[in-house]
Amino acid sequence: MGVPLLDLKAHHEPLHKEIMAALEHTFQSNAFILGPAVEKLEERIATYCQAKYGIGVTSGTDALLLALMALGVGAGDEVMTSPYSFFATAGVVARLGAKPVLVDIDATTFNIDPSRIEHAITSKTKAIIPVHLYGQCADMAPIMELARRHNLSVIEDAAQAIGAEYRDGRRACSMGTVGCLSFFPSKNLGCLGDGGMAVTNDPGLAERMKILRVHGSQPKYYHKLIGGNFRLDTIQAAVLNVKLNYLDGWTKRRQENANRYQSLFQQSGLLQKGRVRLPEEIYRGSGVKHYHIYNQFVLRVDNRNDLIAHLKSKGIGSEIYYPVPFHLQECFRYLGYKEGDFPESERAANETIAIPIYPELTAAQQAEVVEAIASFYS
Ligand SMILES: *Cc1c(COP(=O)(O)O)cnc(C)c1O
């Protein structure tokens, strides 16, 4: 029958009327730039993330860019992150003329390995961007400790991790200097296009980001700073104000689906044979509810590329997040890295595959996915 990687039709169908009403309301208002819907969303998302301020922006990428701009990162500065993430994480650093400095990931979580950070800090280091990849927080305690000691800013790339909790119950975006969210449709809270938000507890930084979001103008047409147009569309905020009411329910279903995969893969014998390794939930059992919010459910597998072809022939959606680590990207050749520099990232890029985990996925569909994988290895 086939199973898609993501089913936005099934996701939005129950909300059809509510979303249409929000769109209609915005259309009738003829107020399309910022305004009450954006402000309401900013307050709600900040609260959801256990932080004080939210600044609605055009995309997750622009949230990262805006955060770096507000922190004054530019030419000559170094910003540290891991090589294994979506391109935007390092792209924004380079676009500002700063240098992305890469640090390998932890093999279990796929997140930046804190034990490798200090070694890479120089007098030029300005910030660290830990990515909470797939929906599980990076190990923030040692990262924040290093940042304090070396006077660095920390920008959480929480594009895949809205609401994810660290072992102490603190949520993504509340721990670093700034947290960045994406509302791209495939994220856990997605809008009907592009959108994002920068979240912070620092009032001065929040103010700076708000000004930079409108070309650095304050008051209107007087520019102390050079910013850009980074505004979140009012119509997207209106949709997100509806969808946010359902986010906890969706997260719960993603976690239930992850649990069901655990038992299905156990029963399949694939784990015992070492063909497949499941994601590990390292904060589970520490008393937090959102120990992993499963934006993606990512396996390590044997013979990955042939498995993908097999799944495709059975109509089962999968994806590689991400096939090429930053240090091997053509555009970053000038950074001088080479193959072998970040072995864990390279191994992850070669071994991993994301399978369907979306909230509307049924038990029967999950059984079909696991059977298809089992049939490949039998
Ligand atoms: C999606 C994503 C981004 C970029 O968000 P956009 O809204 O697509 O610009 C940045 N970092 C990570 C880890 C992401 O997954």
Side-chain angles (χ1 to χ4, degrees):
M1 266 158 33
V3 183
L5 185 63
L6 180 67
D7 189 346
L8 285 179
K9 189 168 156 48
H11 189 59
H12 286 137
E13 197 51 47
L15 306 180
H16 188 146
K17 280 211 175 90
E18 247 189 300
I19 290 176
M20 284 302 161
L23 295 176
E24 177 73 21
H25 179 83
T26 312
F27 179 73
Q28 293 295 347
S29 77
N30 286 298
F32 302 121
I33 302 295
L34 299 177
V38 174
E39 281 168 29
K40 182 178 167 191
L41 182 74
E42 288 172 341
E43 277 182 36
R44 292 181 70 200
I45 296 276
T47 303
Y48 190 81
C49 296
Q50 303 171 342
K52 290 207 181 88
Y53 310 99
I55 295 92
V57 294
T58 15
S59 67
T61 303
D62 281 348
L64 291 164
L65 186 67
L66 184 65
L68 290 171
M69 287 171 76
L71 291 166
V73 169
D77 295 331
E78 293 180 357
V79 176
M80 205 177 297
T81 193
S82 51
Y84 186 64
S85 177
F86 178 60
F87 180 76
T89 315
V92 291
V93 175
R95 280 170 66 189
L96 291 171
K99 183 180 171 192
V101 172
L102 304 175
V103 171
D104 211 356
I105 55 167
D106 172 83
T108 305
T109 63
F110 304 103
N111 290 326
I112 193 167
D113 181 346
S115 71
R116 300 178 207 255
I117 291 177
E118 189 149 35
H119 182 70
I121 295 176
T122 74
S123 59
K124 294 177 182 168
T125 311
K126 267 274 181 89
I128 308 172
I129 312 182
V131 183
H132 306 314
L133 204 67
Y134 307 143
Q136 179 164 249
C137 285
D139 192 2
M140 289 301 287
I143 295 171
M144 294 313 295
E145 170 55 27
L146 281 167
R148 258 188 299 276
R149 213 146 25 83
H150 294 271
N151 198 23
L152 308 175
S153 300
V154 175
I155 300 164
E156 297 175 62
D157 183 339
Q160 302 183 7
I162 185 167
E165 287 162 354
Y166 188 51
R167 63 173 108 250
D168 59 3
R170 288 181 70 181
R171 291 195 165 181
C173 295
S174 72
M175 296 173 273
T177 319
V178 191
C180 297
L181 298 169
S182 166
F183 305 128
F184 185 78
S186 68
K187 306 296 161 97
N188 285 27
L189 180 65
C191 61
L192 308 183
D194 281 306
M197 196 170 288
V199 172
T200 183
N201 278 308
D202 179 334
L205 198 59
E207 186 60 21
R208 224 176 139 75
M209 290 195 283
K210 270 198 170 156
I211 295 169
L212 286 167
R213 175 174 68 175
V214 289
H215 287 291
S217 113
Q218 195 206 39
K220 207 171 181 183
Y221 306 127
Y222 291 78
H223 300 260
K224 287 196 194 76
L225 303 167
I226 302 171
N229 175 356
F230 299 128
R231 293 179 297 256
L232 174 66
D233 283 335
T234 309
I235 205 158
Q236 299 297 357
V239 172
L240 289 164
N241 273 317
V242 171
K243 291 189 69 180
L244 180 55
N245 299 327
Y246 300 90
L247 180 58
D248 279 343
W250 293 329
T251 297
K252 190 159 166 277
R253 271 143 76 184
R254 285 174 184 271
Q255 291 177 332
E256 287 165 1
N257 292 345
N259 290 342
R260 194 174 295 115
Y261 271 139
Q262 293 278 352
S263 42
L264 287 169
F265 275 107
Q266 274 296 336
Q267 290 157 22
S268 74
L270 290 168
L271 306 179
Q272 295 82 341
K273 287 181 202 140
R275 296 297 204 175
V276 170
R277 268 159 297 166
L278 301 181
E280 286 184 42
E281 303 157 335
I282 61 166
Y283 308 124
R284 192 177 190 169
S286 59
V288 303
K289 193 163 116 195
H290 291 189
Y291 47 84
H292 196 319
I293 64 151
Y294 284 107
N295 180 242
Q296 300 297 344
F297 190 87
V298 174
L299 313 172
R300 282 187 194 263
V301 296
D302 278 353
N303 198 2
R304 193 260 318 265
N305 293 349
D306 289 342
L307 172 64
I308 289 175
H310 174 80
L311 292 178
K312 197 168 175 209
S313 77
K314 301 211 169 265
I316 289 170
S318 68
E319 187 69 80
I320 304 170
Y321 299 113
Y322 296 88
V324 185
F326 297 156
H327 66 293
L328 303 179
Q329 292 287 356
E330 193 177 330
C331 67
F332 285 143
R333 216 175 273 163
Y334 73 94
L335 293 173
Y337 293 115
K338 59 183 188 311
E339 204 169 338
D341 282 351
F342 304 106
E344 290 303 342
S345 296
E346 291 171 27
R347 208 155 64 82
N350 289 325
E351 293 181 355
T352 55
I353 172 176
I355 59 174
I357 190 69
Y358 57 88
E360 298 75 22
L361 189 68
T362 65
Q365 287 176 311
Q366 287 192 272
E368 187 179 335
V369 171
V370 176
E371 269 164 38
I373 295 173
S375 73
F376 173 73
Y377 292 110
S378 68

